[in-house]
Amino acid sequence: MSNTKKTSNRKRQQVKPQTDIGGWARHHLKCASDAFLTLVRQPISSALTWLVIAIALMLPALFYIMLQAAASQTSHWQEGGQITLYLADATSESAGTTLANELALRPEVLKTEFISKEQAWQSFRPVISENTELQLESNPLPASVVVIPTLQDQADLEALILTLQDLPEINDIQIDLAWIARLNSLLDIARSTVHLLGIILSVAVLLIVGNTIRLSVESRKSEIEITKLLGATDAFVRRPFLYLGAWYGLFGGIAACVLLTLISVNFQSVLEPFLAGYGLSAPAIWLNAGELGTLLFASILVSLAGARIALWRHLRDTDPK
Amino acid sequence: MIRFEQVSKRYDGGHEALSSLSFHIEKGELVFLTGRSGAGKSTLLKLITAIEKPSSGSVRVNGALLKNYNRKDIAFYRRSLGIIHQDHQLMMNHSVFDNVAQPLYIAGEKPADVKRRVHAALDKVGLLSKVSFRPIQLSGGEQQRVGIARAVVKRPVLILADEPTGNLDPELSKDIMELFEQFNQLGTTVLIASHDLGLIARLNYRVMSLSNGQLVETPFASRGGQS
């Protein structure tokens, strides 16, 4: 390093005061309390901002709750899906029963039922008796095994079917899972929609807080200019506005949690007797403590980001002139 | 303490406020800067406070070249200055106490020290009884004194004053000048931009006179320093 550069660095170090952690902490405390008091002293205007934040956060959270409830129900509905294994003619009744029992032992199978040729004929006869022209010399229906799979996703079910196809006793397989696949696809679309909605409304929160902070910076522009003239660093000037953003986020997050809980409790009280009429139990339609905490944290984080972006954009306009 | 070397300042639009200006103010000096409106006094003070950058030439304060400072360095550098503005530059929504305390808050001083030093500074300018007032409740002269108290509260190494006695009556002007002299006697460098030729004539300090962005000879310009 040249002597000139060394001298220049030494001179620059002269202007830098020693780091005072106490002073730094005091300023943080002062900014946090001042920002809090600003919101409290302007209850109407600040409430308008944090309520908008709350509603923006509540909407995707509400969709998320409904989606979770729907997903919990579809796992029960999946039991409605069944696989029918039509057995080869040569398969005896005892071999069919043994096959059904063996399949029931598999972990991916919930239960099985063997239906003999005779049982199939008995259940089919009322249908063909109405058609008097149909003359059958013998029972054409095959014996079958009805397999109810355990709760699993589409890929696992398809793997189970591939395994069953290889069994020598089985002539044909009829699968009644298409509607579950369609339902799962719908739920996937709904999940993507919730994620998209979450991103869009997070951007909305970012813009709301950003605009509020921009207005706050504008209204205190001369004060900021004076503070900078007195030696305030950019970090010092940013701090009160960042705390303001954080408080907006916290207030908005708390309001969103309260509103969500109120809506959930109300809806649950309506849903429970309705589903009880069909012999069904209502799923839990509220966020757990972890999810509420995440919502609160996300609210603060997004609001802070909004404040920081606004400050990055507008703080340079407040340099002394 | 302050060294200008061939400093020119040209604003957007082509107006040249300062033209190849060179001078040196020693540490511990008290210097008057005078000149008509538009002579370049404010530009000179803005260059020293790093509000503006020179178009050419170099400005050194305490040996350091100001153009090498980044934003953070400029902030820290300004903490070593006591600046008194002609238009007071007070925070109208804050009390007199908070206005004077602001440099101490920025420096992270302890609350007890802040209170003691703010009260001492306000006592010096005769405004201790108005500590909880807002600047809007004060007269122009009182606002000027709040600005002076704020400038001296941190015992700066360099005081830059733009028309510090412009709104004050002669008696108060004399008191304020005595305050500057007291700080100067303690080693603080003081640069005062003033139109008040009577005040300048009364006090025997070095005078720099600006005209059209250049230093010119004046009846007081031959003074070499304090008698």
Side-chain angles (χ1 to χ4, degrees), chain A residues 153-217:
Chain A
D153 62 27
Q154 188 69 12
D156 291 337
L157 286 171
E158 281 166 6
L160 172 65
I161 289 158
L162 283 174
T163 313
L164 294 174
Q165 276 174 341
D166 290 340
L167 294 173
E169 298 91 337
I170 294 168
N171 193 26
D172 194 15
I173 297 178
Q174 190 184 9
I175 308 152
D176 186 20
L177 296 171
W179 71 275
I180 292 177
R182 280 195 289 272
L183 185 66
N184 280 332
S185 299
L186 280 173
L187 284 175
D188 283 343
I189 292 170
R191 275 190 199 99
S192 302
T193 309
V194 167
H195 288 152
L196 195 65
L197 200 67
I199 291 167
I200 291 169
L201 290 172
S202 295
V203 172
V205 170
L206 207 87
L207 294 175
I208 292 160
V209 175
N211 192 48
T212 307
I213 296 299
R214 182 185 68 79
L215 292 173
S216 186
V217 168

Side-chain angles (χ1 to χ4, degrees), chain A residues 302-318:
Chain A
V302 171
S303 301
L304 261 177
R308 187 65 184 85
I309 290 167
L311 291 168
W312 170 73
R313 172 69 188 80
H314 297 288
L315 218 53
R316 293 222 171 210
D317 297 342
T318 60

Side-chain angles (χ1 to χ4, degrees), chain A residues 7-8 11-12 14-17 20 22-24 26-27 30 219-220 222-223 225-234 236 315-316 319-321, chain B residues 46 49 51 62-64 68-73 75-79 83 85 89-91 93-94 99 102-103 105-111 150:
Chain A
T7 312
S8 174
K11 292 291 181 190
R12 281 174 66 170
Q14 281 176 10
V15 298
K16 286 190 180 174
D20 176 16
W24 177 82
R26 270 192 297 279
H27 189 244
K30 187 176 186 310
S219 69
R220 293 170 65 180
S222 62
E223 190 183 316
E225 280 183 19
I226 293 165
T227 312
K228 282 185 175 179
L229 266 177
L230 296 173
T233 57
D234 286 341
F236 184 94
L315 218 53
R316 293 222 171 210
D319 279 351
K321 292 185 179 66
Chain B
K46 281 179 182 174
T49 51
I51 293 170
N62 216 6
N68 286 347
Y69 282 169
N70 59 30
R71 289 175 68 82
K72 205 168 184 177
D73 292 333
F76 290 139
Y77 158 68
R78 283 182 184 149
R79 293 182 192 183
I83 309 169
H85 303 269
Q89 297 274 10
L90 299 178
M91 300 184 289
N93 293 328
H94 295 255
N99 268 281
Q102 194 64 11
Y105 289 148
I106 291 168
E109 299 283 343
K110 291 181 180 131
R150 185 181 64 188

Side-chain angles (χ1 to χ4, degrees), chain B:
Chain B
M1 184 72 191
I2 303 171
R3 184 181 290 278
F4 274 49
E5 286 170 353
Q6 295 296 311
V7 174
S8 294
K9 177 64 190 176
R10 186 173 287 107
Y11 287 103
D12 294 340
H15 169 63
E16 192 171 57
L18 294 177
S19 179
S20 298
L21 192 64
S22 297
F23 67 86
H24 180 220
I25 296 174
E26 293 285 350
K27 192 173 182 182
E29 247 191 304
L30 191 155
V31 178
F32 282 106
L33 180 66
T34 188
R36 288 183 303 176
S37 290
K41 300 193 296 295
S42 295
T43 301
L44 190 145
L45 292 178
K46 281 179 182 174
L47 289 172
I48 298 172
T49 51
I51 293 170
E52 295 285 354
K53 285 182 177 174
S55 307
S56 63
S58 65
V59 178
R60 287 176 187 273
V61 177
N62 216 6
L65 199 57
L66 295 192
K67 71 176 177 188
N68 286 347
Y69 282 169
N70 59 30
R71 289 175 68 82
K72 205 168 184 177
D73 292 333
I74 288 172
F76 290 139
Y77 158 68
R78 283 182 184 149
R79 293 182 192 183
S80 65
L81 309 177
I83 309 169
I84 297 149
H85 303 269
Q86 192 174 2
D87 55 357
H88 321 314
Q89 297 274 10
L90 299 178
M91 300 184 289
M92 293 298 171
N93 293 328
H94 295 255
S95 66
V96 165
F97 182 94
D98 278 344
N99 268 281
V100 178
Q102 194 64 11
L104 303 172
Y105 289 148
I106 291 168
E109 299 283 343
K110 291 181 180 131
D113 290 342
V114 171
K115 192 176 177 184
R116 181 176 51 77
R117 290 171 75 167
V118 169
H119 282 202
L122 284 172
D123 193 26
K124 277 181 183 159
V125 296
L127 284 176
L128 192 52
S129 60
K130 300 195 173 175
V131 71
S132 57
F133 281 47
R134 289 191 179 226
I136 200 84
Q137 297 170 284
L138 305 178
S139 67
E142 286 172 326
Q143 288 185 16
Q144 184 75 304
R145 282 187 279 157
V146 174
I148 292 166
R150 185 181 64 188
V152 300
V153 72
K154 250 193 89 212
R155 297 187 196 113
V157 293
L158 172 61
I159 291 175
L160 301 166
D162 194 1
E163 303 289 352
T165 56
N167 295 308
L168 306 180
D169 58 60
E171 190 61 29
L172 213 49
S173 295
K174 187 170 157 287
D175 291 346
I176 293 301
M177 284 313 301
E178 278 175 9
L179 186 65
F180 287 143
E181 285 183 296
Q182 281 171 24
F183 273 97
N184 179 237
Q185 279 156 14
L186 291 170
T188 304
T189 309
V190 182
L191 176 61
I192 303 168
S194 179
H195 277 108
D196 191 345
L197 294 178
L199 179 86
I200 294 168
R202 206 165 49 246
L203 299 165
N204 193 20
Y205 291 100
R206 181 179 156 200
V207 178
M208 295 196 316
S209 190
L210 276 174
S211 178
N212 294 324
Q214 291 182 313
L215 284 176
V216 291
E217 288 293 320
T218 65
F220 316 110
S222 57
R223 288 174 186 168
Q226 198 174 347
S227 60

Side-chain angles (χ1 to χ4, degrees), chain A residues 72-74 76-77 79 268 270-283:
Chain A
S72 74
Q73 289 305 293
T74 56
H76 298 298
W77 299 338
E79 286 179 21
Q268 186 89 22
V270 175
L271 192 66
E272 263 173 1
F274 172 75
L275 288 178
Y278 293 90
L280 297 168
S281 58

